[in-house]
Amino acid sequence: MKIGLVLPEAPQYSETFFNSKIKGLIESGFDVIVFSSGIGKQGFFFKHSGAYPVLYGSSIRQFFLFVWVLTITFLRSPIKAKKLFSLDRKDGKSFYQSLKSVYLNAHIIIHNLDWLHFGFATMAIGRENTARALGARMGVSFRGYDINIFPLKNPGCYDRL
């Protein structure tokens, strides 16, 4: 079974909670890949796939990166990319928001996964269709901030999740 774990950053050596979970899954025979920010990070005991840079502003470089990543993603994984785009459109996202969703999940949808687990609930907001596009099951962990603070400031934030 192949499990994808989505985290804001790949856990460092001293971060024992996620490292213990990942190590335990690997030792139990699961194939684990961690999806997080930062392309090209090395030296982990687990497989790591870094996200493409988040796009801010509207520079020409960012435009070409956006188009390049979308092109590569639609070529490498056309069915999953199209499915994610279509699911987001059905949910009422604009054309651009749906393309942006494919971009933000490009490092994930090129993989074949059985489970996609978001280590924090706030990371799954706006990505509710990613696992479905992969044909995978989805899991989400709710931690202190996810339960006690974020929903107070953002009522209804987990309705789609």
Side-chain angles (χ1 to χ4, degrees):
M1 182 177 293
K2 192 163 189 177
I3 301 170
L5 180 59
V6 182
L7 299 171
E9 283 188 8
Q12 301 303 311
Y13 180 76
S14 62
E15 297 175 270
T16 57
F17 178 76
F18 280 118
N19 280 330
S20 296
K21 295 293 182 194
I22 296 165
K23 202 171 276 186
L25 288 168
I26 292 170
E27 289 172 358
S28 296
F30 295 101
D31 189 7
V32 179
I33 183 166
V34 175
F35 300 103
S36 69
S37 62
I39 293 177
K41 290 185 176 180
Q42 301 288 325
F44 299 118
F45 67 90
F46 49 81
K47 294 177 191 168
H48 177 257
S49 179
Y52 294 98
V54 177
L55 302 173
Y56 297 106
S58 60
S59 75
I60 292 173
R61 180 178 172 263
Q62 290 169 336
F63 172 77
F64 283 111
L65 177 63
F66 185 72
V67 171
W68 173 254
V69 170
L70 288 176
T71 302
I72 296 299
T73 305
F74 276 97
L75 288 173
R76 286 181 74 185
S77 217
I79 295 169
K80 293 181 220 172
K82 185 180 183 301
K83 188 169 184 181
L84 178 58
F85 178 83
S86 298
L87 289 168
D88 283 342
R89 289 291 286 157
K90 281 183 187 174
D91 282 350
K93 288 186 178 181
S94 71
F95 183 83
Y96 175 72
Q97 287 173 323
S98 299
L99 281 178
K100 191 174 176 183
S101 176
V102 173
Y103 176 89
L104 293 173
N105 292 291
H107 66 301
I108 298 172
I109 61 175
I110 60 171
H111 294 275
N112 294 316
L113 302 173
D114 298 302
W115 275 93
L116 183 63
H117 183 88
F118 291 88
F120 300 93
T122 51
M123 294 197 68
I125 295 172
R127 297 171 118 181
E128 297 88 355
N129 293 319
T130 306
R132 190 168 173 200
L134 290 165
R137 293 179 180 225
M138 183 170 119
V140 180
S141 291
F142 284 83
R143 300 196 182 336
Y145 176 78
D146 296 325
I147 298 167
N148 297 323
I149 297 171
F150 194 79
L152 293 175
K153 295 180 179 182
N154 304 278
C157 61
Y158 298 131
D159 290 351
R160 284 266 317 122
L161 190 56

